[in-house]
Amino acid sequence: MADYFSTWFPEGWDWLGWLIAALIQAVLLLHVIAVGAVFFIWLERKVAGRIQDRLGPTRTGGKFGWLQTLADGIKLLSKEDLMPKDADPLLFKLAPYISLTSSFAAFMALPFASDWVGVRLNIGLFFIVAVLGLEVFGVILAGYGSGSKWSLFGGMRQAAQVVSYEVPLGICVVVPVMIAGTMDLVTIGDQQSGLFSNWLFFHDPFCMILFWVYFTCGIASVNRAPFDLAEAESELVAGFLTEYSGIRWSLFFMAEYGSMFLVSGLAAILFFGGWNGPIPIFFWVPEDNFTLETLANLVGLANFILKAVIGVLVMMWVRWTLPRLRIDQVITMCLKYCVPIAAFCFLGSLMWTALHIPFLNDLAPMQARADIREGWVQDIDDEMQRLEKRFALQAYELNSAVEGGPQQEAQTSLENDSADRVALSSTHETEESR
């Protein structure tokens, strides 16, 4: 996209094309978070209603209550923005924006289809996990800057929880990287093309277990029940959210729902093929056909969003089904269960891969994972081919410039002599073979 827009401007002003492309991508990603939050809040109300034998929203915007979240958003915009007198003005106002910005920044490296990504990084997975961990700083600053003991307790709980669960979460994401041989999420997704049996979830039995450990740690990292100790209303009024109202209160929830979609989307890429469906439909599309490639990517985008929404739906199901854990139970769950299970599965998957033991991935393989190369490697290959063509053209021009001179005659004589020797040698070999 940036290369296309850069052609609109004269030489020296091509940076405007890159700026336009960056703005378009930023607006699209921001709409993923904002529109996703509107949809997921409505969906959670309907899911909670069904689990609790209720109907949920039924009036605003029709019998299904489609506009209920939008109406609540307008109400939050019109509410008075209050701040306690004992609060730190800078930290109190800055905290919700840090949480939202951290969630938004992680989306820049999340691919939605093959090569449909804001910034393709060869360390994309590492970038997302690292940036997603920064969201906790918004919660800590909100708890510390509110000037309330309930908020401070909630912030400290969240800090302990996130730091603890990042250890098993990191172990879980290392295994798909080890199998694929790259941290480029586009390459990891493309390596799982073909039938559903080629998904990394079916690589070995340990990957199946690792997915559930990853999903458990993901729920804890985005502060969802039963791990939502930072805002436990039965103990801390509302935790770090106690003193917030209006638009700042809504920014925290936008960050939370955005992180839920991000964690579910990352699980879809690492374990369930990303944008690849269970049955390949567009494997016959040639690479140079822009229309068919776009159509295939649109179908892949629908696959990816569907898998991520299913993950968010399971998080909602868990929230309204299981009771909240105590803080000691949350830490025990991490250190006594998630970390040992993740470490055991890591070693098991490592041995399974090293010994080349067959499993469901080997039932109907359509391509070798090594055939899918990282973006930067492909760029180097393209650059080398371009340089070879340029050097060949320069050599041809140099030979043409000295054509007819003594050097050219000598070179021609040597070439003719070499050709005669080759022909004579081949004649002798033919006679000997006879």
Side-chain angles (χ1 to χ4, degrees):
M1 182 187 295
D3 294 333
Y4 171 73
F5 284 120
S6 62
T7 60
W8 290 10
F9 302 96
E11 187 176 356
W13 292 86
D14 53 349
W15 59 272
L16 288 174
W18 291 83
L19 178 61
I20 293 174
L23 290 175
I24 292 175
Q25 293 172 350
V27 170
L28 290 175
L29 292 178
L30 189 59
H31 276 74
V32 171
I33 298 177
V35 178
V38 171
F39 171 73
F40 289 139
I41 291 173
W42 171 85
L43 180 64
E44 180 150 24
R45 287 174 167 175
K46 299 298 284 188
V47 170
R50 294 296 179 180
I51 291 177
Q52 298 173 352
D53 199 17
R54 297 185 291 107
L55 296 178
T58 57
R59 297 186 179 183
T60 308
K63 66 177 182 179
F64 294 105
W66 297 104
L67 299 179
Q68 183 64 55
T69 307
L70 184 61
D72 291 340
I74 296 174
K75 179 191 70 174
L76 290 173
L77 287 173
S78 62
K79 290 187 70 173
E80 184 179 2
D81 188 14
L82 301 175
M83 183 174 65
K85 66 175 183 177
D86 295 331
D88 186 307
L90 177 61
L91 299 182
F92 185 83
K93 295 177 181 179
L94 191 61
Y97 299 102
I98 291 178
S99 292
L100 181 61
T101 303
S102 301
S103 178
F104 170 74
F107 273 90
M108 292 192 300
L110 181 71
F112 291 82
S114 182
D115 284 329
W116 282 17
V117 56
V119 180
R120 182 171 180 177
L121 302 174
N122 58 342
I123 56 168
L125 178 60
F126 174 78
F127 176 84
I128 289 179
V129 174
V131 173
L132 194 60
L134 298 178
E135 187 180 349
V136 68
F137 287 102
V139 177
I140 295 173
L141 292 179
Y144 178 77
S146 295
S148 168
K149 60 181 179 180
W150 307 119
S151 301
L152 182 61
F153 286 158
M156 293 302 101
R157 281 184 174 187
Q158 180 71 357
Q161 178 175 313
V162 170
V163 170
S164 300
Y165 277 89
E166 278 184 348
V167 176
L169 184 68
I171 297 175
C172 292
V173 300
V174 164
V175 173
V177 170
M178 176 193 67
I179 296 172
T182 177
M183 286 192 288
D184 186 351
L185 291 174
V186 176
T187 305
I188 294 175
D190 288 339
Q191 286 183 358
Q192 300 175 72
S193 60
L195 293 174
F196 66 93
S197 60
N198 201 38
W199 295 351
L200 293 182
F201 181 79
F202 302 106
H203 180 268
D204 56 68
F206 302 101
C207 283
M208 295 182 173
I209 302 173
L210 270 175
F211 164 73
W212 295 109
V213 178
Y214 166 85
F215 200 73
T216 302
C217 298
I219 294 176
S221 65
V222 298
N223 192 32
R224 294 286 297 182
F227 303 100
D228 58 338
L229 272 300
E231 50 183 279
E233 69 276 0
S234 61
E235 307 168 19
L236 305 179
V237 184
F240 68 96
L241 291 170
T242 301
E243 306 297 342
Y244 280 92
S245 63
I247 188 64
R248 292 197 180 97
W249 182 85
S250 65
L251 291 179
F252 279 111
F253 278 90
M254 287 179 61
E256 179 177 320
Y257 284 103
S259 298
M260 290 169 60
F261 183 86
L262 185 69
V263 169
S264 300
L266 199 59
I269 295 174
L270 295 179
F271 295 98
F272 293 103
W275 43 89
N276 297 296
I279 300 176
I281 300 176
F282 292 94
F283 66 92
W284 51 269
V285 173
E287 294 183 358
D288 56 349
N289 193 316
F290 176 77
T291 303
L292 292 178
E293 274 191 352
T294 304
L295 179 61
N297 279 336
L298 285 174
V299 176
L301 174 65
N303 274 324
F304 175 77
I305 293 178
L306 177 61
K307 294 174 183 178
V309 169
I310 291 176
V312 175
L313 188 62
V314 173
M315 289 185 183
M316 297 176 182
W317 179 21
V318 170
R319 172 180 180 177
W320 297 102
T321 304
L322 301 179
R324 179 183 291 116
L325 302 177
R326 297 195 313 264
I327 184 61
D328 60 307
Q329 293 173 331
V330 170
I331 303 302
T332 300
M333 177 79 174
C334 173
L335 301 180
K336 279 193 174 182
Y337 298 99
C338 290
V339 172
I341 293 174
F344 171 76
C345 291
F346 170 76
L347 295 176
S349 183
L350 177 64
M351 296 301 298
W352 198 284
T353 305
L355 298 176
H356 302 285
I357 302 175
F359 198 60
L360 297 178
N361 271 183
D362 304 296
L363 290 179
M366 294 189 62
Q367 63 181 1
R369 290 198 174 96
D371 295 338
I372 307 297
R373 312 188 72 183
E374 293 186 24
W376 66 275
V377 178
Q378 190 63 43
D379 293 341
I380 291 177
D381 291 342
D382 296 340
E383 182 67 18
M384 292 298 295
Q385 293 177 4
R386 188 182 66 82
L387 290 175
E388 289 176 358
K389 292 180 180 179
R390 192 181 74 179
F391 291 152
L393 180 61
Q394 290 177 352
Y396 174 78
E397 292 176 350
L398 182 61
N399 290 333
S400 300
V402 299
E403 185 177 1
Q407 295 179 355
Q408 180 66 21
E409 292 178 0
Q411 181 69 22
T412 304
S413 176
L414 289 174
E415 291 176 356
N416 293 336
D417 187 24
S418 177
D420 293 338
R421 291 179 180 178
V422 171
L424 184 61
S425 176
S426 62
T427 303
H428 288 315
E429 291 176 0
T430 304
E431 291 178 356
E432 291 175 1
S433 64
R434 288 178 180 176

